[in-house]
Amino acid sequence: MRWLLISKIILSSGYVLLAQTTTTFVVPSAAPSSAVTVDPSLLSVSIEFFAFPGYTELSGTTTCLANIEKLRGAPPAFRIGGTTQDRATFDANLAQPVNYTVASPADAPTTLTYGPSFFTLAGQLAGDVTIGLNRQLNNLNNTRAGAEEAVQCVTGLLALELGNEPDLYSSSSPIAGGASWTPATDGASQKSWFTDLSSSVGDIFQGAVYLQYPRWSIAGLIPILGDAIAFVKTFSGHSYPQSACGGASTNLSNLMSHSGIVSYTSQYAAEAEAAHGVGKSYFLGETNSATCGGGGISPTFGAGLWVMDYVLQGALAGVDRLYFHQGTIGNCAYCFWSTSSVAAPYYGAYFVSEFLGPSSPARLVMLDSGSTSLGVYAVFSGINSAAPRILLYNSAYYSGSGTRSSANIVLSGLGSNLSSVQAKRFTAPSAPALSGQGVTIGGGTFDSSCALAGTQATESVRVSQGTASIGVQDSEAVIVYLS
Protein backbone atom coordinates (compact mmCIF):
# COMPACT_ATOMS: atom_id res chain seq x y z
CA MET A 1 0.00 0.00 0.00
CA ARG A 2 1.38 3.41 -0.93
CA TRP A 3 0.32 6.98 -0.50
CA LEU A 4 1.91 10.33 -1.15
CA LEU A 5 3.05 12.50 1.72
CA ILE A 6 4.73 15.83 1.01
CA SER A 7 6.55 17.38 3.93
CA LYS A 8 9.64 19.47 4.57
CA ILE A 9 12.10 18.83 7.37
CA ILE A 10 14.57 21.62 8.16
CA LEU A 11 17.84 20.32 9.64
CA SER A 12 20.11 22.34 11.93
CA SER A 13 22.63 22.40 9.09
CA GLY A 14 20.15 24.30 6.96
CA TYR A 15 19.64 21.52 4.43
CA VAL A 16 16.08 20.72 3.47
CA LEU A 17 14.96 17.11 3.31
CA LEU A 18 11.85 16.57 1.24
CA ALA A 19 9.96 13.42 2.26
CA GLN A 20 8.26 12.67 -1.05
CA THR A 21 6.71 9.24 -0.72
CA THR A 22 5.48 7.12 2.14
CA THR A 23 5.53 3.41 1.35
CA THR A 24 4.23 0.67 3.62
CA PHE A 25 5.64 -2.86 3.78
CA VAL A 26 4.13 -5.70 5.78
CA VAL A 27 6.73 -7.72 7.69
CA PRO A 28 5.86 -11.45 7.60
CA SER A 29 5.45 -13.13 10.98
CA ALA A 30 7.62 -16.04 9.78
CA ALA A 31 9.81 -16.80 6.79
CA PRO A 32 7.67 -17.14 3.66
CA SER A 33 8.21 -20.04 1.26
CA SER A 34 10.02 -17.66 -1.10
CA ALA A 35 12.80 -17.01 1.43
CA VAL A 36 16.22 -18.33 0.36
CA THR A 37 18.79 -19.95 2.62
CA VAL A 38 21.99 -17.90 2.74
CA ASP A 39 25.47 -19.46 2.85
CA PRO A 40 27.43 -18.31 5.94
CA SER A 41 30.25 -17.26 3.56
CA LEU A 42 27.94 -15.55 1.07
CA LEU A 43 30.24 -12.52 1.00
CA SER A 44 33.72 -13.76 0.20
CA VAL A 45 36.99 -12.48 -1.23
CA SER A 46 38.99 -13.03 -4.42
CA ILE A 47 42.64 -11.94 -4.47
CA GLU A 48 44.72 -11.46 -7.61
CA PHE A 49 47.19 -14.34 -7.92
CA PHE A 50 50.51 -12.47 -8.00
CA ALA A 51 49.42 -10.05 -5.24
CA PHE A 52 48.25 -12.72 -2.79
CA PRO A 53 51.49 -13.00 -0.75
CA GLY A 54 51.51 -9.21 -0.32
CA TYR A 55 47.95 -9.27 1.01
CA THR A 56 48.98 -11.69 3.75
CA GLU A 57 51.30 -8.97 5.08
CA LEU A 58 48.57 -6.33 5.40
CA SER A 59 46.92 -5.87 8.79
CA GLY A 60 43.69 -5.03 6.99
CA THR A 61 43.51 -8.51 5.48
CA THR A 62 43.38 -10.12 8.90
CA THR A 63 41.22 -7.53 10.66
CA CYS A 64 38.73 -6.76 7.90
CA LEU A 65 37.96 -10.43 7.36
CA ALA A 66 37.85 -11.14 11.10
CA ASN A 67 35.19 -8.42 11.41
CA ILE A 68 33.04 -10.20 8.81
CA GLU A 69 33.60 -13.58 10.46
CA LYS A 70 32.47 -12.20 13.82
CA LEU A 71 29.26 -10.86 12.28
CA ARG A 72 28.42 -13.97 10.23
CA GLY A 73 29.78 -16.72 12.50
CA ALA A 74 31.93 -18.10 9.66
CA PRO A 75 34.96 -16.74 7.80
CA PRO A 76 34.69 -15.42 4.24
CA ALA A 77 35.99 -17.92 1.71
CA PHE A 78 39.05 -17.11 -0.43
CA ARG A 79 39.62 -17.46 -4.14
CA ILE A 80 43.23 -16.83 -5.20
CA GLY A 81 43.40 -16.20 -8.93
CA GLY A 82 42.77 -13.77 -11.74
CA THR A 83 44.55 -12.67 -14.89
CA THR A 84 48.02 -13.43 -13.52
CA GLN A 85 47.20 -17.06 -12.69
CA ASP A 86 47.35 -17.63 -16.46
CA ARG A 87 50.81 -16.02 -16.56
CA ALA A 88 52.26 -18.07 -13.70
CA THR A 89 54.60 -21.07 -13.77
CA PHE A 90 55.21 -23.31 -10.75
CA ASP A 91 58.84 -23.69 -9.63
CA ALA A 92 59.29 -26.36 -6.98
CA ASN A 93 62.74 -24.95 -6.10
CA LEU A 94 61.67 -21.33 -5.63
CA ALA A 95 62.25 -20.20 -2.05
CA GLN A 96 59.92 -17.20 -2.04
CA PRO A 97 56.16 -17.40 -2.68
CA VAL A 98 56.31 -15.45 -5.98
CA ASN A 99 59.01 -14.05 -8.21
CA TYR A 100 58.46 -11.41 -10.90
CA THR A 101 59.75 -8.08 -12.20
CA VAL A 102 57.64 -4.98 -12.96
CA ALA A 103 58.57 -1.49 -14.11
CA SER A 104 56.36 0.07 -11.42
CA PRO A 105 54.85 -1.30 -8.19
CA ALA A 106 51.46 -0.35 -9.64
CA ASP A 107 51.89 -2.80 -12.52
CA ALA A 108 50.88 -6.44 -12.74
CA PRO A 109 53.56 -8.79 -14.08
CA THR A 110 53.34 -10.23 -17.57
CA THR A 111 55.09 -13.39 -16.39
CA LEU A 112 55.88 -14.84 -12.95
CA THR A 113 56.89 -17.94 -11.09
CA TYR A 114 55.59 -19.22 -7.77
CA GLY A 115 56.88 -21.80 -5.33
CA PRO A 116 55.75 -24.15 -2.56
CA SER A 117 55.66 -21.36 0.05
CA PHE A 118 52.82 -19.77 -1.95
CA PHE A 119 50.67 -22.70 -0.86
CA THR A 120 52.05 -22.58 2.68
CA LEU A 121 50.58 -19.07 2.95
CA ALA A 122 47.30 -20.23 1.43
CA GLY A 123 47.17 -23.04 3.98
CA GLN A 124 47.10 -20.49 6.79
CA LEU A 125 43.82 -18.94 5.63
CA ALA A 126 40.63 -19.53 7.55
CA GLY A 127 37.68 -20.98 5.67
CA ASP A 128 37.41 -22.50 2.20
CA VAL A 129 40.17 -21.77 -0.30
CA THR A 130 39.92 -21.98 -4.10
CA ILE A 131 43.18 -21.63 -6.04
CA GLY A 132 43.44 -20.69 -9.71
CA LEU A 133 46.15 -22.33 -11.80
CA ASN A 134 47.43 -21.79 -15.32
CA ARG A 135 45.70 -23.38 -18.31
CA GLN A 136 46.31 -20.79 -21.01
CA LEU A 137 50.03 -21.64 -21.34
CA ASN A 138 49.03 -25.25 -22.08
CA ASN A 139 51.64 -26.78 -19.76
CA LEU A 140 49.63 -29.60 -18.21
CA ASN A 141 52.53 -31.15 -16.33
CA ASN A 142 53.54 -27.87 -14.70
CA THR A 143 49.95 -27.21 -13.64
CA ARG A 144 49.80 -30.76 -12.28
CA ALA A 145 52.88 -30.09 -10.13
CA GLY A 146 51.29 -26.93 -8.72
CA ALA A 147 47.97 -28.69 -8.15
CA GLU A 148 49.61 -31.55 -6.26
CA GLU A 149 51.46 -29.06 -4.04
CA ALA A 150 48.21 -27.23 -3.34
CA VAL A 151 46.40 -30.41 -2.32
CA GLN A 152 49.26 -31.34 -0.01
CA CYS A 153 49.68 -27.94 1.67
CA VAL A 154 46.28 -26.20 1.78
CA THR A 155 44.15 -27.75 4.51
CA GLY A 156 41.09 -25.69 3.62
CA LEU A 157 41.30 -26.34 -0.11
CA LEU A 158 37.82 -26.38 -1.65
CA ALA A 159 38.61 -26.37 -5.36
CA LEU A 160 41.21 -25.84 -8.07
CA GLU A 161 40.36 -23.48 -10.92
CA LEU A 162 42.10 -24.19 -14.24
CA GLY A 163 42.40 -21.00 -16.25
CA ASN A 164 40.97 -17.53 -15.70
CA GLU A 165 38.19 -16.30 -18.01
CA PRO A 166 39.00 -18.70 -20.85
CA ASP A 167 36.23 -17.04 -22.84
CA LEU A 168 38.82 -14.28 -23.41
CA TYR A 169 41.43 -16.69 -24.82
CA SER A 170 42.23 -16.06 -28.48
CA SER A 171 43.87 -17.95 -31.30
CA SER A 172 47.20 -16.53 -30.12
CA SER A 173 46.83 -18.13 -26.67
CA PRO A 174 49.29 -21.06 -26.48
CA ILE A 175 46.50 -23.50 -25.63
CA ALA A 176 44.56 -22.52 -28.78
CA GLY A 177 47.31 -23.52 -31.20
CA GLY A 178 46.30 -20.82 -33.65
CA ALA A 179 42.66 -21.89 -33.85
CA SER A 180 39.59 -19.99 -32.69
CA TRP A 181 38.71 -20.53 -29.05
CA THR A 182 35.01 -21.26 -28.79
CA PRO A 183 32.67 -22.50 -26.03
CA ALA A 184 32.86 -25.99 -27.56
CA THR A 185 36.67 -25.88 -27.75
CA ASP A 186 36.97 -24.69 -24.19
CA GLY A 187 34.46 -27.24 -22.89
CA ALA A 188 36.46 -30.06 -24.49
CA SER A 189 39.64 -28.60 -22.96
CA GLN A 190 38.13 -28.43 -19.47
CA LYS A 191 36.89 -32.01 -19.81
CA SER A 192 40.33 -33.23 -20.87
CA TRP A 193 42.23 -31.38 -18.14
CA PHE A 194 39.80 -32.35 -15.38
CA THR A 195 39.96 -36.00 -16.43
CA ASP A 196 43.74 -36.07 -16.69
CA LEU A 197 44.48 -34.23 -13.44
CA SER A 198 41.82 -35.92 -11.31
CA SER A 199 44.01 -39.00 -10.98
CA SER A 200 46.59 -36.82 -9.20
CA VAL A 201 44.44 -34.47 -7.12
CA GLY A 202 40.91 -35.88 -6.98
CA ASP A 203 37.50 -34.51 -7.91
CA ILE A 204 38.18 -30.96 -6.86
CA PHE A 205 37.84 -28.63 -9.85
CA GLN A 206 35.98 -25.36 -10.27
CA GLY A 207 34.46 -25.29 -13.73
CA ALA A 208 33.45 -22.55 -16.18
CA VAL A 209 35.01 -19.31 -14.77
CA TYR A 210 33.42 -17.34 -17.61
CA LEU A 211 32.97 -13.57 -17.86
CA GLN A 212 30.96 -13.27 -21.09
CA TYR A 213 27.52 -14.59 -20.23
CA PRO A 214 25.27 -15.81 -21.87
CA ARG A 215 27.25 -16.99 -24.91
CA TRP A 216 29.65 -18.70 -22.52
CA SER A 217 27.61 -20.42 -19.85
CA ILE A 218 27.52 -23.22 -17.34
CA ALA A 219 24.31 -24.44 -18.92
CA GLY A 220 26.20 -24.81 -22.21
CA LEU A 221 29.30 -26.34 -20.62
CA ILE A 222 27.59 -29.12 -18.66
CA PRO A 223 26.56 -31.24 -21.68
CA ILE A 224 30.09 -30.97 -23.10
CA LEU A 225 31.66 -32.18 -19.84
CA GLY A 226 29.56 -35.33 -19.89
CA ASP A 227 30.87 -37.87 -17.37
CA ALA A 228 33.67 -35.47 -16.40
CA ILE A 229 31.06 -33.55 -14.40
CA ALA A 230 32.02 -35.99 -11.62
CA PHE A 231 35.39 -34.23 -11.33
CA VAL A 232 33.78 -30.81 -10.77
CA LYS A 233 33.29 -29.54 -7.23
CA THR A 234 31.95 -26.06 -7.97
CA PHE A 235 31.05 -23.78 -10.88
CA SER A 236 32.00 -20.13 -11.19
CA GLY A 237 31.02 -17.12 -13.23
CA HIS A 238 32.71 -13.73 -13.22
CA SER A 239 30.67 -10.54 -13.03
CA TYR A 240 31.35 -6.82 -13.34
CA PRO A 241 28.29 -4.61 -13.94
CA GLN A 242 30.38 -1.85 -15.53
CA SER A 243 33.75 -1.41 -17.23
CA ALA A 244 36.53 1.12 -16.81
CA CYS A 245 38.75 -0.50 -19.46
CA GLY A 246 40.06 1.42 -22.43
CA GLY A 247 38.61 4.73 -21.35
CA ALA A 248 35.08 3.39 -20.92
CA SER A 249 32.87 5.58 -18.75
CA THR A 250 31.26 4.44 -15.50
CA ASN A 251 28.10 5.70 -13.82
CA LEU A 252 27.62 5.59 -10.06
CA SER A 253 23.89 6.35 -10.16
CA ASN A 254 23.31 3.36 -12.43
CA LEU A 255 25.59 1.12 -10.36
CA MET A 256 23.76 1.68 -7.06
CA SER A 257 20.22 1.66 -8.49
CA HIS A 258 18.16 -0.94 -6.65
CA SER A 259 15.95 -1.75 -9.63
CA GLY A 260 19.07 -1.92 -11.80
CA ILE A 261 20.75 -4.36 -9.42
CA VAL A 262 17.62 -6.53 -9.34
CA SER A 263 17.55 -6.62 -13.15
CA TYR A 264 21.29 -7.25 -13.53
CA THR A 265 21.55 -10.13 -11.07
CA SER A 266 18.47 -11.88 -12.46
CA GLN A 267 20.58 -13.10 -15.39
CA TYR A 268 22.44 -15.44 -13.06
CA ALA A 269 19.36 -17.36 -11.93
CA ALA A 270 19.61 -19.68 -14.94
CA GLU A 271 23.30 -20.32 -14.29
CA ALA A 272 22.65 -21.11 -10.65
CA GLU A 273 19.79 -23.41 -11.62
CA ALA A 274 22.03 -25.27 -14.08
CA ALA A 275 24.77 -25.79 -11.49
CA HIS A 276 22.36 -26.78 -8.73
CA GLY A 277 20.65 -29.16 -11.14
CA VAL A 278 23.81 -31.30 -11.25
CA GLY A 279 24.42 -30.98 -7.52
CA LYS A 280 27.14 -28.30 -7.66
CA SER A 281 27.52 -24.93 -5.95
CA TYR A 282 27.41 -21.80 -8.08
CA PHE A 283 29.65 -18.86 -7.23
CA LEU A 284 30.39 -15.47 -8.66
CA GLY A 285 34.01 -16.41 -8.18
CA GLU A 286 35.32 -12.99 -9.18
CA THR A 287 33.19 -9.88 -9.04
CA ASN A 288 33.30 -6.20 -8.28
CA SER A 289 31.90 -2.90 -9.49
CA ALA A 290 33.80 -2.35 -12.74
CA THR A 291 36.56 -4.05 -14.73
CA CYS A 292 40.09 -2.65 -14.91
CA GLY A 293 40.02 -1.56 -11.28
CA GLY A 294 36.79 0.35 -11.30
CA GLY A 295 37.59 3.89 -12.36
CA GLY A 296 36.15 6.81 -10.40
CA ILE A 297 33.03 5.12 -9.02
CA SER A 298 34.48 2.14 -7.18
CA PRO A 299 35.92 3.62 -3.96
CA THR A 300 32.79 5.63 -3.18
CA PHE A 301 30.03 5.38 -0.60
CA GLY A 302 27.61 4.67 -3.44
CA ALA A 303 29.70 1.63 -4.36
CA GLY A 304 29.43 0.55 -0.72
CA LEU A 305 25.65 0.72 -1.03
CA TRP A 306 25.94 -1.31 -4.25
CA VAL A 307 27.97 -4.01 -2.46
CA MET A 308 25.26 -4.29 0.18
CA ASP A 309 22.36 -4.59 -2.27
CA TYR A 310 24.28 -6.69 -4.81
CA VAL A 311 25.13 -9.34 -2.21
CA LEU A 312 21.48 -9.72 -1.24
CA GLN A 313 20.25 -9.82 -4.82
CA GLY A 314 22.93 -12.33 -5.71
CA ALA A 315 21.65 -14.63 -2.98
CA LEU A 316 18.07 -14.23 -4.15
CA ALA A 317 19.16 -15.15 -7.70
CA GLY A 318 20.63 -18.42 -6.42
CA VAL A 319 24.31 -17.43 -6.17
CA ASP A 320 25.85 -19.35 -3.27
CA ARG A 321 28.84 -17.04 -2.78
CA LEU A 322 30.11 -13.75 -4.22
CA TYR A 323 33.89 -13.29 -4.19
CA PHE A 324 34.81 -9.59 -4.34
CA HIS A 325 38.09 -9.17 -6.20
CA GLN A 326 41.06 -7.39 -4.63
CA GLY A 327 43.68 -6.40 -7.21
CA THR A 328 47.12 -4.80 -7.28
CA ILE A 329 47.95 -3.39 -3.85
CA GLY A 330 48.06 0.41 -4.08
CA ASN A 331 46.51 0.50 -7.56
CA CYS A 332 43.00 -0.80 -7.06
CA ALA A 333 39.99 1.51 -6.96
CA TYR A 334 37.52 -1.21 -5.97
CA CYS A 335 39.62 -2.87 -3.25
CA PHE A 336 38.09 -3.05 0.22
CA TRP A 337 41.36 -2.23 1.99
CA SER A 338 44.98 -1.35 1.19
CA THR A 339 48.23 -0.68 3.02
CA SER A 340 46.90 2.12 5.22
CA SER A 341 43.22 2.67 4.50
CA VAL A 342 39.81 1.03 4.43
CA ALA A 343 37.60 2.02 1.50
CA ALA A 344 33.89 2.82 1.52
CA PRO A 345 32.89 -0.45 -0.25
CA TYR A 346 34.13 -2.36 2.79
CA TYR A 347 31.62 -0.44 4.90
CA GLY A 348 28.92 -1.90 2.66
CA ALA A 349 30.36 -5.38 3.09
CA TYR A 350 30.35 -4.93 6.85
CA PHE A 351 26.83 -3.49 6.93
CA VAL A 352 25.24 -6.28 4.90
CA SER A 353 27.09 -8.85 7.02
CA GLU A 354 25.66 -7.26 10.16
CA PHE A 355 22.19 -7.42 8.63
CA LEU A 356 22.49 -11.11 7.70
CA GLY A 357 24.01 -11.89 11.10
CA PRO A 358 25.22 -15.19 12.53
CA SER A 359 21.92 -17.02 12.11
CA SER A 360 22.38 -20.50 10.72
CA PRO A 361 20.65 -20.94 8.47
CA ALA A 362 19.80 -17.34 7.68
CA ARG A 363 16.77 -17.08 5.39
CA LEU A 364 16.37 -13.99 3.23
CA VAL A 365 13.36 -12.45 1.53
CA MET A 366 12.84 -9.24 -0.46
CA LEU A 367 9.68 -7.36 0.54
CA ASP A 368 9.69 -4.73 -2.20
CA SER A 369 8.74 -5.13 -5.88
CA GLY A 370 12.27 -4.66 -7.23
CA SER A 371 11.03 -2.02 -9.66
CA THR A 372 11.67 1.21 -7.70
CA SER A 373 14.55 2.91 -5.92
CA LEU A 374 13.51 1.38 -2.58
CA GLY A 375 14.84 -1.97 -1.41
CA VAL A 376 13.40 -3.69 1.67
CA TYR A 377 14.65 -7.05 2.97
CA ALA A 378 13.91 -9.27 5.95
CA VAL A 379 16.20 -11.95 7.35
CA PHE A 380 14.89 -14.86 9.42
CA SER A 381 16.73 -17.20 11.78
CA GLY A 382 14.67 -20.19 10.70
CA ILE A 383 11.46 -21.27 9.02
CA ASN A 384 9.12 -20.53 11.92
CA SER A 385 11.02 -17.67 13.58
CA ALA A 386 10.07 -14.01 13.38
CA ALA A 387 12.39 -11.68 11.46
CA PRO A 388 15.02 -10.22 13.80
CA ARG A 389 16.18 -7.58 11.29
CA ILE A 390 14.88 -5.54 8.35
CA LEU A 391 17.11 -3.69 5.89
CA LEU A 392 15.85 -0.51 4.18
CA TYR A 393 17.66 0.94 1.15
CA ASN A 394 16.91 4.19 -0.65
CA SER A 395 19.00 4.00 -3.82
CA ALA A 396 17.95 7.38 -5.25
CA TYR A 397 21.20 9.14 -6.17
CA TYR A 398 22.30 12.15 -4.12
CA SER A 399 25.27 14.06 -5.54
CA GLY A 400 25.89 16.19 -2.47
CA SER A 401 24.35 19.40 -3.74
CA GLY A 402 20.82 20.70 -3.64
CA THR A 403 17.90 19.18 -1.78
CA ARG A 404 18.34 15.68 -0.38
CA SER A 405 14.99 13.92 -0.40
CA SER A 406 13.94 11.27 2.09
CA ALA A 407 11.65 8.27 1.73
CA ASN A 408 9.32 7.55 4.62
CA ILE A 409 9.14 3.76 4.97
CA VAL A 410 6.39 2.33 7.16
CA LEU A 411 6.78 -1.22 8.50
CA SER A 412 3.57 -2.89 9.65
CA GLY A 413 2.89 -6.27 11.22
CA LEU A 414 5.55 -5.83 13.89
CA GLY A 415 3.36 -7.14 16.69
CA SER A 416 1.43 -5.37 19.40
CA ASN A 417 4.01 -6.18 22.08
CA LEU A 418 6.61 -3.77 20.68
CA SER A 419 6.71 -0.15 21.84
CA SER A 420 9.95 0.71 20.03
CA VAL A 421 12.67 -0.73 17.82
CA GLN A 422 16.29 0.24 17.20
CA ALA A 423 17.74 1.34 13.88
CA LYS A 424 21.34 1.71 12.64
CA ARG A 425 22.12 4.03 9.72
CA PHE A 426 24.69 3.56 6.93
CA THR A 427 25.18 7.07 5.60
CA ALA A 428 27.49 9.70 4.11
CA PRO A 429 27.20 13.32 2.93
CA SER A 430 26.73 12.09 -0.66
CA ALA A 431 26.93 9.02 -2.88
CA PRO A 432 30.36 10.04 -4.30
CA ALA A 433 31.85 10.51 -0.81
CA LEU A 434 34.98 8.51 0.04
CA SER A 435 35.94 6.93 3.33
CA GLY A 436 37.25 9.69 5.56
CA GLN A 437 34.64 12.07 4.12
CA GLY A 438 31.80 11.26 6.48
CA VAL A 439 31.05 7.63 5.56
CA THR A 440 29.76 6.03 8.76
CA ILE A 441 27.83 3.09 10.17
CA GLY A 442 25.85 4.26 13.16
CA GLY A 443 28.30 7.14 13.39
CA GLY A 444 31.29 4.79 13.61
CA THR A 445 34.16 4.22 11.19
CA PHE A 446 37.19 1.95 10.67
CA ASP A 447 40.78 2.97 11.27
CA SER A 448 43.65 2.29 8.86
CA SER A 449 44.03 -1.29 10.14
CA CYS A 450 40.29 -1.98 9.79
CA ALA A 451 39.64 -1.91 13.53
CA LEU A 452 36.35 -0.32 14.57
CA ALA A 453 36.75 3.36 15.46
CA GLY A 454 34.19 5.27 17.47
CA THR A 455 30.89 3.96 18.75
CA GLN A 456 28.18 2.61 16.47
CA ALA A 457 24.99 4.09 17.86
CA THR A 458 21.39 3.16 17.13
CA GLU A 459 18.27 5.32 16.93
CA SER A 460 15.08 4.51 18.81
CA VAL A 461 11.98 4.30 16.60
CA ARG A 462 8.51 4.36 18.12
CA VAL A 463 6.14 1.49 17.37
CA SER A 464 2.41 2.08 17.58
CA GLN A 465 -0.09 -0.74 17.07
CA GLY A 466 2.53 -2.85 15.32
CA THR A 467 3.63 -0.08 12.94
CA ALA A 468 6.86 1.92 12.76
CA SER A 469 7.91 4.73 10.41
CA ILE A 470 11.55 5.28 9.43
CA GLY A 471 12.94 8.03 7.22
CA VAL A 472 15.68 6.95 4.82
CA GLN A 473 17.46 9.66 2.87
CA ASP A 474 18.42 9.33 -0.78
CA SER A 475 21.64 7.28 -0.99
CA GLU A 476 21.30 5.76 2.46
CA ALA A 477 20.47 2.46 4.17
CA VAL A 478 19.14 1.49 7.59
CA ILE A 479 18.99 -1.77 9.55
CA VAL A 480 15.93 -2.05 11.81
CA TYR A 481 16.36 -4.45 14.75
CA LEU A 482 13.09 -6.06 15.74
CA SER A 483 14.55 -8.16 18.55
Side-chain angles (χ1 to χ4, degrees), residues 70 76 96 185:
K70 184 176 180 180
Q96 64 264 46
T185 305

Side-chain angles (χ1 to χ4, degrees), residues 38-98:
V38 176
D39 189 296
S41 300
L42 173 65
L43 188 150
S44 289
V45 173
S46 166
I47 293 185
E48 183 61 43
F49 189 92
F50 88 95
F52 165 65
Y55 273 96
T56 66
E57 299 174 359
L58 300 182
S59 59
T61 304
T62 301
T63 310
C64 283
L65 297 179
N67 290 341
I68 303 296
E69 180 177 1
K70 184 176 180 180
L71 293 170
R72 293 301 325 276
F78 268 89
R79 176 257 186 172
I80 304 167
T83 302
T84 55
Q85 79 182 62
D86 267 331
R87 302 173 182 177
T89 300
F90 180 65
D91 181 352
N93 298 313
L94 186 68
Q96 64 264 46
V98 290

Side-chain angles (χ1 to χ4, degrees), residues 267-283:
Q267 67 184 309
Y268 296 112
E271 289 285 81
E273 183 178 4
H276 296 160
V278 291
K280 314 297 180 181
S281 296
Y282 174 62
F283 303 145

Side-chain angles (χ1 to χ4, degrees), residues 135 160-162 189-199 202 205-208 221 225 228 231-232 235:
R135 183 158 59 99
L160 296 171
E161 179 186 284
L162 304 182
S189 172
Q190 290 196 47
K191 179 178 181 178
S192 174
W193 281 57
F194 294 162
T195 302
D196 196 316
L197 294 178
S198 64
S199 61
F205 300 106
Q206 178 153 280
L221 174 64
L225 291 177
F231 307 132
V232 175
F235 281 109

Side-chain angles (χ1 to χ4, degrees), residues 361-429:
R363 291 174 59 82
L364 175 70
V365 65
M366 181 172 70
L367 302 182
D368 66 279
S369 66
S371 61
T372 74
S373 61
L374 295 183
V376 179
Y377 301 90
V379 66
F380 299 82
S381 301
I383 296 175
N384 297 315
S385 301
R389 290 173 299 280
I390 306 293
L391 188 143
L392 313 176
Y393 175 36
N394 181 352
S395 70
Y397 181 78
Y398 179 62
S399 67
S401 62
T403 300
R404 188 173 193 175
S405 299
S406 179
N408 186 46
I409 298 177
V410 174
L411 300 177
S412 67
L414 302 184
S416 58
N417 60 321
L418 288 176
S419 60
S420 67
V421 292
Q422 297 299 305
K424 184 179 290 186
R425 199 169 294 269
F426 179 32
T427 194

Side-chain angles (χ1 to χ4, degrees), residues 131-331:
I131 296 178
L133 300 174
N134 198 324
R135 183 158 59 99
Q136 184 171 210
L137 292 183
N138 201 30
N139 190 336
L140 179 66
N141 287 333
N142 185 263
T143 298
R144 185 194 310 275
E148 290 174 348
E149 191 73 26
V151 169
Q152 181 177 340
C153 294
V154 184
T155 303
L157 187 66
L158 174 68
L160 296 171
E161 179 186 284
L162 304 182
N164 176 73
E165 296 170 4
D167 47 315
L168 301 182
Y169 291 176
S170 68
S171 59
S172 62
S173 297
I175 197 169
S180 297
W181 196 254
T182 66
T185 305
D186 182 68
S189 172
Q190 290 196 47
K191 179 178 181 178
S192 174
W193 281 57
F194 294 162
T195 302
D196 196 316
L197 294 178
S198 64
S199 61
S200 301
V201 298
D203 308 336
I204 197 172
F205 300 106
Q206 178 153 280
V209 203
Y210 298 140
L211 177 64
Q212 300 181 94
Y213 178 82
R215 179 171 179 251
W216 298 74
S217 69
I218 292 167
L221 174 64
I222 287 173
I224 301 173
L225 291 177
D227 291 344
I229 194 74
F231 307 132
V232 175
K233 184 75 170 290
T234 59
F235 281 109
S236 167
H238 289 187
S239 177
Y240 291 84
Q242 297 188 27
S243 175
C245 298
S249 61
T250 54
N251 186 296
L252 183 57
S253 177
N254 290 345
L255 179 74
M256 59 184 278
S257 163
H258 174 62
S259 60
I261 294 168
V262 172
S263 176
Y264 178 81
T265 54
S266 66
Q267 67 184 309
Y268 296 112
E271 289 285 81
E273 183 178 4
H276 296 160
V278 291
K280 314 297 180 181
S281 296
Y282 174 62
F283 303 145
L284 291 183
E286 180 184 317
T287 192
N288 219 309
S289 49
T291 55
C292 293
I297 64 171
S298 294
T300 65
F301 169 63
L305 291 168
W306 167 79
V307 168
M308 173 198 74
D309 203 25
Y310 181 63
V311 165
L312 299 177
Q313 285 301 318
L316 291 173
V319 179
D320 295 297
R321 292 175 182 172
L322 298 88
Y323 291 73
F324 286 86
H325 197 54
Q326 315 296 304
T328 305
I329 297 171
N331 187 27

